[in-house]
Amino acid sequence: MREARDRTWEMGEGAIPGSRLPGIRLGVDRVLRDPGAFPALFRPGGRVGLVTSDGAPPGSGTTRGRSSPPSTRLALQTAGVPLARLFAPEHGLSAAAADGEGIGDGLDAQTGLTVVSLYGARFSPDPTALADLDLVLFDLQDVGARFYTFLWTLSHLMERCSEVGIPLWVLDRPNPLGGEEESVEGPLPDPLAPDSLLCRWPIPVRHSLTLGEMARLLRAERGLDLDLEVVAMEGWRREHHWPGTGLPFHPPSPGIPAYESALLYPGLALLEATNVGEGRGTPLAFRWLGAAWMDPGRLADALLEEAPPGILARPLCLRLPGTRDPVPGVALEVTEPRLVRPVALGLRLLALLGTLFPSDFAWGPYPTTANPAGEGHLARLLGRAPLVEALEGDPGSVDGPLIRSWTEAPGWWRRAGPHLLYE
């Protein structure tokens, strides 16, 4: 059996001369800046696969002077990386497809390369799509939530690369929600939770790891015989939320138009399993919730009385895509990002909706390509049957102490510790 390797290109000094920003360089920026340090990527006659999307361009260190950043695939190809095939996650190569929409294979106009979809007819690449490659690069911008599918696309790719014997390199990017232990929020899924593209293995909802760190953890815990390399960032620290990076925010998907949307997504995404909208298609996606039947003043008052940390709430009617009249709802303003506990907030919102509006609030399916019937969506998001039963059967019982117990993640940071790359 091949000897599995796990190497990490360590962080350098990372200061950008003349810049007042923290000097963060993404993994891809390091490759583009110093090709000589990564000879395996630039080998003449090589064949490299790349998992990417337009939601993950190079960072500020390689895009100064441009009106918009180049795509990572074009930047790498221009720099001399012998790209042979592209792989696209959910939302497609453009990062513009709707949530849950199936993506077909295609041809990339920028590079002329074939694009193999990993969110459509398949969620894991066929062995034949890897067999003629020398290595595969993975470079996607995650949002730090267990049920954002990029993490599980990475897991499928890791398994397939292990089976085929192809090295996998992860070009690391920030967790936009930071990486501090105190920010972790469970629940950890039950071992018997449904295996899905929202929850394959026992990871907290808000995990505080980068995808490079997650790849190291998954390789170890799943016992994968995988030649894994992580090109670490320079300059990123665990206390850095996205605004602290100094990098421009590029939406990784249509539903995450801003950092604040990413911050609240681990909690507000739970509304997908209900008849309450979460503002998709607007600048306030995952920063607003509403429905035609809602009394927004009543909900806002209830939230303000409970004073969730780092959040203010106010009634706001919002015109949603496909609606003629503005929809009544509540806008959530982030005042202190590091205090926000989005999962606890989302759980409390579900409980309040069920108790304040019992005759109107309802649970429902959420069809996607990965779950066409859309049934059991809340169970797939939370991964814990008792939580689902309490929220659906007795929302009045879901109070602060219960939510605090639910959002614990015992043992997670002990598991994560050996695989952390940043201080």
Side-chain angles (χ1 to χ4, degrees), residues 134 252 335:
D134 298 309
T335 58

Side-chain angles (χ1 to χ4, degrees), residues 178-404:
E180 296 175 298
E181 177 183 4
E182 55 266 33
S183 297
V184 171
E185 287 186 279
L188 287 167
D190 187 271
L192 299 179
D195 186 338
S196 73
L197 206 61
L198 303 178
C199 177
R200 295 191 72 201
W201 299 325
I203 303 298
V205 172
R206 182 179 177 185
H207 50 70
S208 286
L209 269 60
T210 69
L211 286 187
E213 293 172 329
M214 191 66 77
R216 288 159 52 93
L217 180 143
L218 293 181
R219 191 191 77 92
E221 292 196 343
R222 308 307 295 184
L224 297 177
D225 179 23
L226 174 65
D227 185 347
L228 173 70
E229 300 204 17
V230 177
V231 180
M233 294 174 283
E234 293 177 344
W236 190 75
R237 300 182 64 85
R238 308 211 75 82
E239 68 264 25
H240 285 151
H241 284 228
W242 192 272
T245 69
L247 297 170
F249 186 89
H250 298 279
S253 59
I256 309 291
Y259 153 73
E260 291 84 358
S261 298
L263 178 59
L264 296 184
Y265 172 80
L268 273 288
L270 301 176
L271 294 172
E272 292 173 348
T274 77
N275 62 346
V276 177
E278 66 282 273
R280 285 185 186 272
T282 78
L284 293 181
F286 296 106
R287 292 186 281 166
W288 176 92
L289 65 154
W293 44 261
M294 183 180 289
D295 179 345
R298 192 177 177 197
L299 178 60
D301 287 346
L303 277 175
L304 290 173
E305 184 177 343
E306 297 190 1
I311 293 289
L312 291 177
R314 62 184 175 90
L316 177 70
C317 292
L318 187 65
R319 181 171 281 108
L320 302 175
T323 63
R324 182 169 55 183
D325 299 319
V327 177
V330 172
L332 303 173
E333 179 186 351
V334 176
T335 58
E336 297 182 73
R338 292 183 68 177
L339 297 182
V340 174
R341 294 297 176 260
V343 183
L345 174 64
L347 292 170
R348 188 60 187 141
L349 282 170
L350 292 178
L352 284 173
L353 289 165
T355 53
L356 295 177
F357 313 108
S359 61
D360 296 304
F361 175 73
W363 303 94
Y366 189 74
T368 65
T369 296
N371 180 20
E375 299 296 337
H377 190 62
L378 186 63
R380 291 168 183 259
L381 291 170
L382 290 176
R384 292 287 292 276
L387 278 65
V388 175
E389 292 167 2
L391 287 165
E392 293 182 345
D394 187 11
S397 69
V398 181
D399 57 10
L402 185 57
I403 289 174
R404 282 192 291 274

Side-chain angles (χ1 to χ4, degrees), residues 116-136:
V116 176
S117 171
L118 300 181
Y119 193 87
R122 70 188 75 81
F123 302 110
S124 178
D126 294 329
T128 54
L130 299 177
D132 62 341
L133 301 177
D134 298 309
L135 62 86
V136 177

